[in-house]
Amino acid sequence: MRPDVHLQDDRQLIDRRTLLARGVGLAALIATGCTRGEPRGFAGDALRQLRVRLERHVEPSFAPGVVGLLARGSVVETFVLGRLAFNGGADMRRDTIFRIASMTKAITATAVMMLIEDGKVGLDEPVDRLLPELADRRVLRRLDAEVDDTVPAKRPLRVADLLTYRCGLGMIVAPPGRYPIQKAIADLGINGVGFGPPDPALPLNGDRWMQKISSLPLFAQPGEDWFYTAGSNIQGVLVERASGQPLSRFFEERIFGPLAMKDTAFFVPPNKIGHVAHPYRTQNGALVVSDEPTTGKFSRPPAFEQGDAGLVSTVDDYLAFARMLLADGRHRGQSLLTPASVEAMTTNHLTAAQRAGGEIILRGRGWGYGMSVVTDTVAGQPAVGSFGWNGGYGTSWISDPSRDLTMILLTQHEFSSPSGDPIHQEFQSDAYRALG
């Protein structure tokens, strides 16, 4: 896996890898669904220490419970601690449902890659055909310019720009109101979709949201700068229009069904509400419930099925998705993606300057399609080539192909900063120490 691949190489990467996959030797290897030797599992003493460290976080000042999972080859270790809620909540379970927020992004990018493989959209295709709202873009002269101080876009937006978050739209990491464009976004009432913390209760569907963002100039020229999260919402609309299906139906038919992800969806039905972990955030030094499971934002179908942060899931559901990526797109003999598509998704596509511009969110990593990619060796951190992402409601996932290792930790303590809570970094570091 190459550490850096830029936009002009994306199509070449997919085409070349697809051709290689047609070779007899590699085809036979892929057909087995196993491209790596079976690794050893985990050291028992280190697992016990990991559990003790997790238990220290299950307390009134952080969260009532957590679910953690380590998988290495066929070996799976789980850690189910605490309760669904404070004040007498039921016991936490392995199948507890969590709001996974930005861990949704990788699933949305997978859907886009499936449509590219289907020939319904092209990686280098301008988005104008399916997303006419984004045709003929104007671009801010500078980020701090007035909203009408623009220049023409140097080229059309491409599908690849959406996948790499270089589409000129997204979150501006600055105090509210610093730039005129921030006020324009706020005036449109869309801060909660693509431009700030997610709001699944936003009373807009995807088409209406696209109409609203069409009134905004791009913040930078297509392909030039990295802006977080809005690209995944646009990808979701693209999937709907290219497939002729609601995003939830495409996910169910092409991803969740084949992977048996039975508890992953855009909302929690009434018969599963009792399995939902209560979400908390720190407010004025105290924990408060941020959304009531029985009546809250995820208790009913949303008007806009948001591709950046809209899903709920369980630890085993997400493991199935992560394992599919580690297996080069295969699951139990079925191919969901080609190895070339997985390679493109899990390879960094950003330049050093683009990574530096997104440092507060990327924290030294690169960006593939829908997920971060580890590009540099850092002591105590996942190995180079590892991929995954966090969810701002308190979840994390990373997979290390070199060790066939997946680490998933689910809490519902909302992040108070882009770097997340220390429990997630500790969990991953402890996982590496536990490798047998």
Side-chain angles (χ1 to χ4, degrees):
M1 191 178 308
R2 295 180 293 167
D4 291 283
V5 177
H6 303 302
L7 178 61
Q8 62 266 29
D9 298 322
D10 291 354
R11 190 56 165 274
Q12 182 181 4
L13 172 66
I14 290 180
D15 291 345
R16 184 172 65 252
R17 298 285 295 196
T18 301
L19 289 171
L20 287 172
R22 292 174 182 166
V24 175
L26 181 58
L29 185 62
I30 292 170
T32 69
C34 180
T35 59
R36 303 173 183 88
E38 189 71 14
R40 291 176 292 173
F42 303 94
D45 288 346
L47 289 178
R48 285 187 286 273
Q49 293 172 12
L50 186 155
R51 182 182 182 91
V52 168
R53 284 168 66 90
L54 285 178
E55 287 172 342
R56 294 172 184 165
H57 291 278
V58 179
E59 57 181 28
S61 63
F62 182 75
V66 303
V67 176
L69 182 146
L70 303 178
R72 195 180 187 201
S74 61
V75 178
V76 177
E77 299 286 347
T78 57
F79 308 86
V80 182
L81 306 174
R83 296 178 175 274
L84 301 181
F86 292 118
N87 303 321
D91 288 341
M92 190 68 75
R93 298 164 28 149
R94 182 165 170 166
D95 64 352
T96 292
I97 296 171
F98 292 79
R99 301 152 186 81
I100 63 170
S102 290
M103 285 167 59
T104 302
K105 291 174 168 60
I107 294 172
T108 303
T110 296
V112 174
M113 298 307 291
M114 288 175 167
L115 289 168
I116 290 173
E117 293 183 3
D118 292 346
K120 293 187 176 180
V121 66
L123 183 68
D124 293 328
E125 177 186 356
V127 302
D128 304 19
R129 175 175 63 89
L130 291 168
L131 303 170
E133 298 93 340
L134 298 180
D136 303 319
R137 291 290 81 199
R138 305 282 302 179
V139 182
L140 287 175
R141 196 177 299 275
R142 302 177 314 278
L143 188 58
D144 62 354
E146 295 296 326
V147 176
D148 59 356
D149 184 8
T150 63
V151 297
K154 296 177 182 178
R155 64 165 175 82
L157 286 172
R158 300 170 183 157
V159 172
D161 297 323
L162 304 180
L163 288 163
T164 60
Y165 285 4
R166 297 183 294 193
C167 60
L169 293 167
M171 291 176 59
I172 296 173
V173 184
R178 172 175 290 183
Y179 304 126
I181 190 66
Q182 292 173 287
K183 182 179 185 303
I185 294 166
D187 289 345
L188 290 171
I190 55 174
N191 269 331
V193 179
F195 300 94
D199 180 7
L202 189 79
L204 295 173
N205 63 21
D207 290 339
R208 182 68 183 127
W209 181 76
M210 289 295 298
Q211 291 171 6
K212 284 181 174 286
I213 69 170
S214 71
S215 68
L216 297 171
L218 301 184
F219 310 162
Q221 288 288 341
E224 287 193 357
D225 293 336
W226 190 84
F227 291 95
Y228 185 57
T229 206
S232 288
N233 298 113
I234 303 171
Q235 290 172 46
V237 177
L238 179 77
V239 170
E240 292 190 334
R241 295 181 182 179
S243 67
Q245 296 179 303
L247 188 59
S248 55
R249 186 177 303 166
F250 187 93
F251 280 179
E252 179 60 35
E253 292 182 1
R254 299 290 298 273
I255 302 172
F256 302 160
L259 294 177
M261 297 172 66
K262 60 186 178 64
D263 293 315
T264 305
F266 283 103
F267 74 102
V268 182
N271 65 317
K272 295 182 180 180
I273 286 290
H275 296 175
V276 178
H278 282 57
Y280 294 88
R281 68 168 178 266
T282 301
Q283 182 174 300
N284 299 323
L287 284 184
V288 298
V289 176
S290 58
D291 189 50
E292 189 63 45
T294 55
T295 59
K297 297 176 179 179
F298 289 89
S299 65
R300 54 192 178 275
F304 184 7
E305 296 176 342
Q306 298 171 25
D308 72 332
L311 291 174
V312 300
S313 191
T314 65
V315 72
D316 283 300
D317 276 11
Y318 213 88
L319 173 63
F321 175 74
R323 278 178 156 170
M324 179 272 294
L325 294 177
L326 283 175
D328 291 329
R330 295 188 66 81
H331 176 74
R332 296 183 178 177
Q334 179 180 1
S335 177
L336 278 73
L337 287 173
T338 63
S341 289
V342 175
E343 176 82 1
M345 291 179 65
T346 58
T347 297
N348 173 49
H349 297 271
L350 304 186
T351 66
Q354 289 164 349
R355 289 172 56 193
E359 173 61 24
I360 193 169
I361 294 174
L362 291 170
R363 307 186 314 282
R365 299 182 184 181
W367 192 255
Y369 297 163
M371 67 193 78
S372 70
V373 181
V374 178
T375 57
D376 301 309
T377 300
V378 178
Q381 297 298 312
V384 171
S386 298
F387 54 83
W389 198 229
N390 300 334
Y393 292 137
T395 61
S396 61
W397 150 63
I398 194 148
S399 292
D400 179 350
S402 69
R403 294 168 174 82
D404 201 12
L405 172 67
T406 290
M407 300 160 275
I408 302 171
L409 183 63
L410 305 180
T411 82
Q412 290 289 253
H413 182 268
E414 189 173 316
F415 291 173
S416 56
S417 72
S419 61
D421 294 311
I423 185 175
H424 297 278
Q425 289 76 38
E426 291 174 6
F427 181 73
Q428 292 166 14
S429 296
D430 287 347
Y432 276 98
R433 282 191 284 269
L435 295 180

